[in-house]
Structures are given as structure tokens and as C-alpha cells.
Amino acid sequence: MARNEQRVYLLRHGETEWSLNGQHTGVTDIPLTENGRSAARLLKPILAKVAFTMVLSSPLQRARDTCELAGLGQLANVDSDLIEWNYGE
């Protein structure tokens, strides 16, 4: 019997000003820094070698931008269950 192999790839959003400074962003929609954008672009040739059957993204802009810059934007389905937790004030 042939074994059906599945792989899961997990990408975290790129750097933001807050993550750079050690702050938790939670649900605050902080944009990527240029360094975060550059890091996401570096993933594009690596991920282009994979035939993804499903791509999910948080609705926050930093996650959607990371997904797009990594070359997966056309495949992405935004899933509100993937939003970061609200840690409160």
C-alpha cells in the first residue's frame, strides 16, 4: 500500500517595529519593516519548489504581506481563526 505523505509548513510573519523591540503586537495591525519584507521575499524561491494544496493566512496585514511577498498570495485563504490573541491593554 502506498503511503500518502503530507507536510505542513508554518511561516511566521516578518519583522515589525514592535517585534524588533520585543513588544507583543497581538491584534494591533502593525506593518512589516523593510527588513521583514526582505526576509519574506527570500522565501519565494524556496517555496516555489513546493506544490501547495492549501495556504492559510491570518487577516492581519503583516501576515498577508508576508504571504504575498513569499509568493503564496494567489493561493492564500484568509482565516480569521488565525488572528493573534488579544492580550488586552
Side-chain angles (χ1 to χ4, degrees):
M1 176 177 210
R3 189 169 155 185
N4 208 2
E5 184 177 292
Q6 295 182 6
R7 292 181 186 218
V8 175
Y9 294 79
L10 177 64
L11 305 177
R12 189 175 189 276
H13 64 77
E15 177 187 87
T16 66
E17 285 294 329
W18 285 18
S19 65
L20 179 63
N21 295 314
Q23 294 176 279
H24 293 285
T25 52
V27 295
T28 307
D29 211 356
I30 305 294
L32 297 173
T33 62
E34 190 50 47
N35 186 49
R37 297 176 67 77
S38 295
R41 284 187 203 100
L42 291 173
L43 294 171
K44 191 171 185 174
I46 298 166
L47 299 176
K49 299 174 186 175
V50 180
F52 289 95
T53 56
M54 180 185 293
V55 175
L56 301 171
S57 174
S58 161
L60 295 176
Q61 190 65 47
R62 61 184 175 266
R64 290 185 292 124
D65 285 350
T66 299
C67 189
E68 182 70 36
L69 293 166
L72 300 173
Q74 295 290 356
L75 300 171
N77 293 300
V78 174
D79 187 332
S80 61
D81 286 335
L82 297 176
I83 199 165
E84 292 197 41
W85 291 351
N86 185 353
Y87 296 106
E89 289 185 34

